[in-house]
């Protein structure tokens, strides 16, 4: 396997394709080994049967000769299982690079949409297409764990402050060319990401039963030890048969009384384990890797140190819990059920697991949070690696400020992404964007919002250069009415705008509104829109609104610190052509009738003309 840190200097598409080719060759070889070991096992099985037949029927070989096949068969079976595990790891790593290529080529169907993270009432998540098919989440998230995916989703919907953004930028820059790290995380725990469910772990840790008495584990151990010791003493000749039966009877009575007294609490503990046998190996394997890593950026160093601990590391403490769960599950084996019953197996290990949860539950929650942040940072570093031309933004303390050069939408292909410049500050607080249909107004607003999301997550942005102050986001771009709630589109939009005004009072807000107040007449729209903009500007907000109603362009020339800009098409009658470039001023023409003409609606409305045309 090549040294990935060196290979990672190649463009992402070339590097991913090369690694996939290598991994497919390794997978083919691994499958060949697995098939070969399976065939050898079959041959050994036939050989053992032949030797047994010769020993029993013909007496030509000793019976013990068949036993010589057993250690060889065990070794071959070990190799076969090892090749199977290697195959699973190779498939997981291959999937990592297949999804990387899917992100680069925008093959959205291959990627997790993150729909479970979408809050329909969020102030901008749905409006900016943060989740769903073709979303920003699909571009930036390659997290190995569900807690990592949740962390990215939380970062996207909860902007960080300037200090936190800068610390994430340093961490992402350090991890950017560490392409070996995602591969090691995947190969260390080849289970599916969906198998690792942090919500279940949090629920398990939060469950509380009445604590067991301090003497309970000691009594359980003494009873189990006595159950083993009495038969040994009898077979050693140190104990009479009657004394043995009397002792076992006393032990059985005390044991049943003891186990029955604690049975409800033990059952509650064991029933709560659920699928921890899936979560824990994955979590432990990831923690072991992160504990061994040495980082230079402050944030990564702090996160890694939080996993190491003073005496025992997070993975070592977690390994004890994993062993306890594996041991308690032995009682489910039908051959071990009776010995486990005699040794109070469930009671002993139920108490031990409950004690672990009480002693280390809070620590495990902290470790999960740290692991989620590390996984999220590695995921964002992958996004940075896949978009090498995108720079980190400069975060300034004073504001409001949004100064973008070469602003584009990050989801668009680079060859079709048209860039525009934009500056909003104390002098120009808002833009009124007019424009013809399909000319790029909505995309422009979403480009502003998605780049702010990327910037305040700590990721690179789709700009040539971006300088901004930390802002909150509010958007009214994709507003829906609700028949169930009895809420019209206009009412839903007004409620969103009201929330944005209230949010602006708690800190600097970037507001984005597409076709603002389209559900009312032009006069009311003009007056109400000015009310909204004035309320937002007075609270220190900056932003942009788009409109077809040219009456709204008067607002920017009405004493408020705004500016009129527009998009247009250059098509003549029967054609459409867009350059998606932002221009100063007010749009003076519309293309609505031209679009209707292209779609043949004018002909459909004129039967005589339509017939003559035929």
């Amino acid at each position: 396997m090549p040294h990935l840190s060196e290979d990672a200097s190649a463009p992402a598409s070339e590097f991913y394709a090369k690694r996939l080719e290598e991994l497919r060759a390794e997978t083919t070889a691994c499958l060949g080994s697995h098939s070969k070991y399976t065939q050898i096992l079959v041959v050994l099985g036939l050989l053992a049967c032949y030797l047994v037949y010769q020993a029993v029927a013909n007496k030509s070989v000793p019976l013990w000769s068949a036993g010589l096949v057993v250690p060889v068969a065990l070794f071959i079976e070990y190799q076969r299982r090892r090749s199977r595990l290697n195959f699973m790891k190779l498939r997981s790593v291959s999937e990592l690079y297949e999804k990387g290529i899917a992100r680069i080529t925008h093959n959205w169907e291959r990627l997790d949409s993150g729909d479970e993270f979408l809050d329909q009432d969020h102030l901008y998540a749905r409006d900016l297409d943060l989740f769903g098919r073709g979303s920003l989440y699909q571009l930036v998230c390659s997290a190995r764990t569900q807690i990592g995916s949740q962390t990215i989703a939380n970062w996207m919907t909860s902007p960080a402050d300037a200090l936190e953004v800068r610390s994430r930028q340093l961490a992402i820059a350090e991890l950017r060319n560490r392409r070996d790290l995602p591969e090691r995380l995947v190969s260390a725990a080849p289970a599916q990401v969906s198998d690792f469910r942090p919500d279940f772990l949090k629920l398990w840790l939060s469950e509380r039963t009445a604590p067991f008495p301090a003497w309970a584990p000691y009594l359980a151990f003494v009873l189990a030890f006595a159950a083993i010791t009495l038969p040994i003493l009898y077979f050693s000749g140190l104990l009479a048969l009657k004394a043995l039966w009397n002792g076992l009877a006393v032990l059985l009575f005390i044991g049943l009384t003891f186990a029955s007294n604690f049975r409800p609490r033990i059952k509650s503990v064991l029933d709560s384990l659920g699928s921890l046998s899936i979560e824990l190996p994955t979590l432990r394997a990831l923690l072991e890797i992160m504990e061994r890593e040495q980082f230079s950026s402050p944030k990564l160093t702090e996160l890694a140190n939080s996993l190491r601990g003073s005496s025992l590391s997070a993975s070592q403490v977690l390994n004890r819990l994993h062993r306890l769960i594996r041991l308690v599950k032995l009682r489910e084996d039908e051959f071990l059920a009776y010995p486990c019953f005699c040794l109070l197996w469930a009671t002993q290990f139920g108490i031990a697991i409950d004690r672990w949860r009480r002693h280390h539950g809070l620590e495990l929650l902290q470790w999960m949070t740290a692991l989620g942040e590390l996984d999220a940072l590695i995921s964002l570093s992958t996004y940075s690696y896949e978009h090498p031309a995108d720079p980190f933004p400069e975060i300034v303390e004073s504001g409001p400020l949004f100064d973008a050069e070469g602003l584009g939408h990050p989801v668009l292909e680079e060859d079709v992404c048209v860039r525009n410049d934009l500056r909003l500050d104390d002098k120009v607080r808002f833009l009124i964007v007019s424009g013809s249909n399909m000319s790029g107004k909505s995309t422009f607003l979403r480009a502003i919002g998605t780049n702010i999301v990327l910037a305040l997550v700590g990721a690179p942005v789709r700009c040539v250069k971006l300088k901004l102050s930390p802002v909150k986001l509010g958007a009214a771009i994709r507003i829906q009415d609700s028949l169930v709630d009895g809420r019209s589109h206009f009412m839903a939009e007004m409620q969103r705008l009201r929330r944005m005004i209230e949010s602006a009072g708690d800190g600097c807000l970037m507001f984005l509104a597409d076709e603002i107040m389209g559900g009312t007449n032009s006069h009311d729209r003009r007056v109400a829109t000015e009310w909204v903009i004035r309320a937002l500007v007075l609270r220190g907000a900056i932003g942009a609104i788009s409109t077809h109603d040219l009456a709204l362009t008067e607002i920017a020339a009405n004493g408020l610190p705004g500016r009129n800009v527009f998009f247009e098409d250059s098509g003549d009658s029967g054609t459409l052509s867009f350059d998606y470039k932002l221009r100063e001023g007010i749009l003076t023409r519309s293309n609505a009738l031209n679009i209707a003409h292209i779609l043949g609606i004018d002909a459909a409305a004129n039967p005589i003309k339509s017939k003559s045309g035929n």
Side-chain angles (χ1 to χ4, degrees), residues 4 148 172 203 282 459:
L4 298 185
I172 292 167
L203 179 63
T282 302

Side-chain angles (χ1 to χ4, degrees), residues 450-461:
T450 51
N451 276 285
I452 290 176
V453 170
L454 285 173
L456 298 184
V457 160
V461 291

Side-chain angles (χ1 to χ4, degrees), residues 147 150 196-209 268-269 271-276 279 321 354 356-358 361-362 364-365 368:
I147 187 66
Q150 283 186 1
F196 183 85
R197 298 177 298 165
D199 289 340
F200 177 81
L201 278 173
K202 292 176 181 177
L203 179 63
W204 179 73
L205 293 170
S206 64
E207 288 185 1
R208 285 291 180 268
T209 56
S268 175
V269 171
D271 288 348
S272 70
L273 296 180
S275 60
L276 275 179
E279 273 84 2
L321 175 61
D354 185 69
W356 189 99
R357 180 169 62 180
R358 294 178 186 280
L362 183 59
L364 181 54
L365 289 175
M368 287 173 58

Side-chain angles (χ1 to χ4, degrees), residues 160-167 393-402 426 456 467-471 507-508:
D161 58 31
L163 183 62
E164 177 65 15
V165 170
R166 294 190 192 102
S167 67
E394 180 183 350
I395 308 298
V396 298
E397 298 289 348
S398 59
L401 176 65
F402 183 87
D426 281 326
L456 298 184
K467 182 185 295 186
L468 79 159
S469 58
V471 294
C508 185

